[in-house]
Amino acid sequence: MTVALGIHCGHESSCAVVRDGVLLAAIQQERVTRRKYDGQEALTNRLPVREVLATAGLTLDDVDVIVSSFQAAGPSGVGLQRPLVSASFDLFDPYDERHHVVSHHLAHAASALYASGFPEATVLVSDSAGTSSWDGADFCLPFGEFFRAYYRDMSRADLESSRVHTEMRSMYAFRHGRFQLLERAFSRPHNQPDVFVQSEASLYDNVARFLFRKEHAHGQLMALAALPHEQPARLTADDIIAPGDVPRLRNGWQLLDAATEITQNADIAQAVQEAFNRLIVAQAARAVELSGIPDLCCAGGVFLNLSGNSAIAALPQVRNLYVPSCPHDAGISVGAAYLGWARTSADLPAGSVKVTSDFLGRAAEPIAPELAESHGYSVPAAHGGADLSRRAADVLLDGEILVRYAGRAEFGPRALGNRSILCHPVACHDAKSKLNGIKRRQPWRPVAPMVRAEDLRTYFVGPDDAPFMNYDFMVREEYRGVLKEIVHDDGSARVQTVTEVDNPALHKILTCIAEAGRIPVLVNTSFNGPAQPIIESAKEALDFARHPDIGFLLTDDRLFASPPPRKTMVRRAEGTVMAVFGSGESARYLLSNPDAQVPVTRDLFVALLEQENAVTDGTATDVIECLRAGVLEEA
């Protein structure tokens, strides 16, 4: 038996555990520290090492191999403010003989390949930037050897004859248990990387930052691309892509005049999305051509793009496509753990098990009756599985919105039913508007349908399944009217399929809805507020579910009715600063002090400007978070 611990140090740091080819647990650091997108470049005690091992029922003494990845490490550039190990790190000895270091793209490739269960496959990795090294080659080295290689001095002759290579795109063939690198592209150093585009990743990232004026806006750009635009287009895909057998990115089109009203930039988003799709489809086709293997695995932040994934899945030369639940950098820890296991496995081609469930995180905390009562809830009787599912289906069909906090948390960025806000798209009037209001998102943002796998073809057209919500589907014409709440402006929907094996509780709720003669589809969005990681604790769940538009909180054994709103008078705490960034629909309103920065609604922001003491809903998520952070206090 081999137990491997994988660690990702970098953007969205994470840890994962694999035992004998089976992925047991994986946790993003943000879920523990409660800081969205939390990460750092070095080994620190903030990493969820203890948490992921405890979730797997193991300790460090049970671990046979540890594999880390250091995203930002640069050759001959270790030290000062960029160490590999923080001074206080004491979870394990970095020089332990069990500890190895793997390169970024190789770990990405492993995260998709071993999770796919394919005995052989083509693997495509694409992101903004992977490992930087002198030779640009993959590696998996003992930590001591890696440290010496990256910390050493370089002679003048070596420096003059060398340059740093940073991975940008990699294509592999996986055969006979081994990765064979077929082709690799490296990023070009540039003093304006947020303007200059050189890959599908930088194209999408740069335009998303430009239009939304913030990081992590890729999902918003993807949604914006599906909106209608009545005026002549200011930008087309042909402006971005040069013609030819191999698409080539152009520069020199970036002088764009973006409209203040964000929806008026749909033409720009559409051009970028079409150009992105052309690029990524060409790269996928090239990878399959080079390897000669029609089963394709994809990893890297690029593959969070549903439209691009769907375009790849439609390629005639791709027989099967596998995109993991967490294709972006948080998934690196999974690949690192798989590679740790693979180093000791005697039967690599058939040794891994296909991953179809993302419920790899910590189990939901039991909600003690006294805790629920202290938050204003009445404690209902506990119920068994089938009875609880029927009760949940009944309230959903009554038009209620419920939040589900049950089972193990999702690892990836998308809530898939265990940490979800749910409602029925027909029974719940104005479902999309209500959910976007709860989440404080733009009203044009789509929400996602959840459907049993056996009902997929009845309502949607697209790939064969979507357990991780990784593809766009078209809603069948005959259902677009009745399912209007989950239909985006272009007729698409980002569907999640549910099976009895991977999520029996949600499958049973959908079955109860079908047995009641109603459409067995639910609307699903993640159980969190703006700038907040997905809910992990019982207290957070109880606080959030007090939102006036949420009717119920569903746990593993109880269905709690949310208490009615309560009016609370609040004021700014001493030292609180108020700030607004942007304007119009995209404006962001913040309250901050030296220790916290909390986004709030415009209504609360204006109320605090106009009067010293503002009367507000004490159950609102932003008010609860402001009181917890100390930027507001009860008057």
Side-chain angles (χ1 to χ4, degrees):
M1 182 175 74
T2 300
V3 174
L5 169 65
I7 298 173
H8 166 56
C9 298
H11 300 304
E12 297 134 342
S13 293
S14 63
C15 296
V17 177
V18 167
R19 181 173 63 196
D20 291 344
V22 178
L23 181 58
L24 296 182
I27 298 175
Q28 292 193 48
Q29 183 172 300
E30 66 166 30
R31 309 293 174 84
V32 177
T33 62
R34 309 309 300 156
R35 295 182 180 181
K36 189 71 172 170
Y37 310 116
D38 197 23
Q40 65 284 314
E41 299 173 4
L43 290 173
T44 77
N45 290 339
R46 294 166 59 81
L47 287 160
V49 171
R50 292 190 181 96
E51 289 82 359
V52 79
L53 287 169
T55 299
L58 301 167
T59 69
L60 265 172
D61 291 338
D62 300 311
V63 174
D64 300 293
V65 59
I66 303 169
V67 181
S68 298
S69 180
F70 296 90
Q71 179 184 32
S76 302
V78 171
L80 302 179
Q81 71 272 28
R82 295 184 183 275
L84 294 178
V85 184
S86 70
S88 60
F89 180 73
D90 60 4
L91 297 178
F92 60 86
D93 179 2
Y95 292 91
D96 187 314
E97 63 180 8
R98 297 175 297 173
H99 188 205
H100 288 67
V101 179
V102 66
S103 52
H104 194 82
H105 275 200
L106 181 58
H108 262 319
S111 74
L113 181 282
Y114 290 117
S116 74
F118 296 150
E120 61 177 30
T122 304
V123 186
L124 173 62
V125 177
S126 178
D127 59 11
S128 294
T131 290
S132 296
S133 62
W134 291 119
D135 62 6
D138 291 323
F139 58 79
C140 188
L141 303 171
F143 177 82
E145 186 177 339
F146 171 77
F147 181 83
R148 289 190 295 274
Y150 271 64
Y151 193 58
R152 70 185 179 92
D153 183 27
M154 294 284 286
S155 69
R156 178 178 295 178
D158 285 343
L159 285 171
E160 290 175 350
S161 62
S162 303
R163 71 179 181 88
V164 172
H165 294 76
T166 300
E167 301 165 329
M168 184 174 72
R169 186 187 308 108
S170 300
M171 300 175 186
Y172 297 88
F174 182 82
R175 291 187 182 92
H176 310 301
R178 296 288 182 268
F179 288 98
Q180 176 192 0
L181 181 62
L182 303 174
E183 186 173 284
R184 172 162 289 160
F186 300 99
S187 63
R188 299 180 183 89
H190 200 283
N191 67 320
Q192 297 292 353
D194 56 346
V195 178
F196 180 75
V197 295
Q198 55 183 308
S199 69
E200 53 275 8
S202 64
L203 168 66
Y204 219 81
D205 192 41
N206 290 357
V207 176
R209 290 188 206 186
F210 169 69
L211 290 181
F212 293 95
R213 304 296 177 179
K214 62 180 181 179
E215 301 284 341
H216 308 292
H218 310 88
Q220 295 175 59
L221 182 61
M222 190 165 51
L224 183 63
L227 297 184
H229 186 78
E230 304 297 334
Q231 302 301 318
R234 292 164 290 175
L235 183 69
T236 70
D238 289 336
D239 296 327
I240 303 171
I241 300 289
D245 294 337
V246 179
R248 180 183 65 81
L249 268 169
R250 300 178 191 264
N251 282 282
W253 51 266
Q254 291 96 321
L255 280 176
L256 298 173
D257 185 15
T260 302
E261 171 54 51
I262 196 66
T263 57
Q264 294 177 13
N265 296 313
D267 59 330
I268 296 174
Q270 289 161 10
V272 169
Q273 184 65 62
E274 183 182 343
F276 175 92
N277 286 3
R278 288 189 203 173
L279 287 165
I280 201 63
V281 163
Q283 301 299 344
R286 167 120 180 112
V288 171
E289 178 185 6
L290 288 174
S291 73
I293 305 173
D295 294 331
L296 175 64
C297 301
C298 296
V302 157
F303 300 101
L304 286 171
N305 192 292
L306 281 65
S307 178
N309 293 346
S310 299
I312 293 171
L315 280 171
Q317 55 266 61
V318 174
R319 181 171 61 191
N320 295 296
L321 174 63
Y322 185 87
V323 180
S325 65
C326 200
H328 67 316
D329 282 352
I332 286 287
S333 64
V334 172
Y338 273 127
L339 287 167
W341 157 74
R343 292 178 69 251
T344 62
S345 175
D347 186 22
L348 292 177
S352 59
V353 176
K354 183 176 182 178
V355 177
T356 58
S357 170
D358 190 44
F359 303 123
L360 300 165
R362 295 180 291 182
E365 298 174 350
I367 295 181
E370 55 270 23
L371 180 63
E373 289 169 349
S374 72
H375 282 68
Y377 291 78
S378 298
V379 180
H383 293 279
D387 187 37
L388 187 64
S389 295
R390 282 192 293 271
R391 289 171 181 265
D394 287 343
V395 301
L396 287 164
L397 290 177
D398 285 340
E400 297 284 358
I401 295 174
L402 68 79
V403 293
R404 185 164 188 264
Y405 174 71
R408 292 177 64 179
E410 296 86 345
F411 168 54
R414 295 178 177 127
L416 302 172
N418 283 5
R419 304 289 185 275
S420 287
I421 307 173
L422 303 167
C423 67
H424 191 266
V426 181
C428 182
H429 176 69
D430 209 13
K432 184 172 84 167
S433 176
K434 288 178 179 176
L435 292 181
N436 279 334
I438 292 169
K439 301 272 291 181
R440 300 210 301 277
R441 304 192 313 183
Q442 301 100 323
W444 47 267
R445 297 276 293 278
V447 288
M450 174 188 289
V451 64
R452 296 182 300 182
E454 56 267 36
D455 296 324
L456 176 64
R457 294 290 177 221
T458 301
Y459 305 103
F460 305 101
V461 178
D464 293 335
D465 63 0
F468 305 137
M469 206 188 297
N470 275 340
Y471 304 103
D472 271 339
F473 288 74
M474 298 305 293
V475 182
R476 290 194 181 275
E477 191 72 40
E478 60 268 34
Y479 287 104
R480 290 186 185 179
V482 69
L483 292 177
K484 63 182 185 298
E485 295 298 321
I486 55 93
V487 183
H488 206 14
D489 290 71
D490 61 352
S492 67
R494 43 187 264 181
V495 178
Q496 177 201 348
T497 52
V498 178
T499 68
E500 191 171 6
V501 172
D502 292 327
N503 198 329
L506 261 298
H507 190 274
K508 181 61 178 176
I509 291 172
L510 287 163
T511 299
C512 290
I513 291 172
E515 290 171 349
R518 309 288 286 275
I519 293 178
V521 174
L522 289 176
V523 185
N524 171 31
T525 190
S526 58
F527 188 11
N528 63 318
Q532 180 185 35
I534 288 175
I535 296 294
E536 285 280 347
S537 73
K539 185 180 185 304
E540 283 182 321
L542 290 165
D543 284 342
F544 196 106
R546 291 168 61 173
H547 188 284
D549 283 333
I550 294 174
F552 292 86
L553 168 62
L554 177 62
T555 68
D556 285 308
D557 60 355
R558 285 184 168 88
L559 183 63
F560 293 88
S562 299
R566 99 182 133 77
K567 294 299 180 182
T568 302
M569 187 171 290
V570 296
R571 64 188 175 204
R572 279 181 283 169
E574 185 176 352
T576 294
V577 175
M578 302 176 67
V580 58
F581 294 91
S583 61
E585 187 181 293
S586 61
R588 298 167 60 224
Y589 301 90
L590 300 174
L591 302 185
S592 62
N593 61 24
D595 299 317
Q597 186 180 82
V598 184
V600 298
T601 62
R602 181 182 183 279
D603 290 343
L604 176 58
F605 191 88
V606 171
L608 291 167
L609 282 177
E610 292 178 344
Q611 49 201 345
E612 181 179 353
N613 298 329
V615 177
T616 187
D617 175 15
T619 66
T621 306
D622 58 344
V623 175
I624 292 169
E625 185 61 30
C626 284
L627 291 170
R628 182 187 297 121
V631 295
L632 290 182
E633 59 188 16
E634 293 197 35

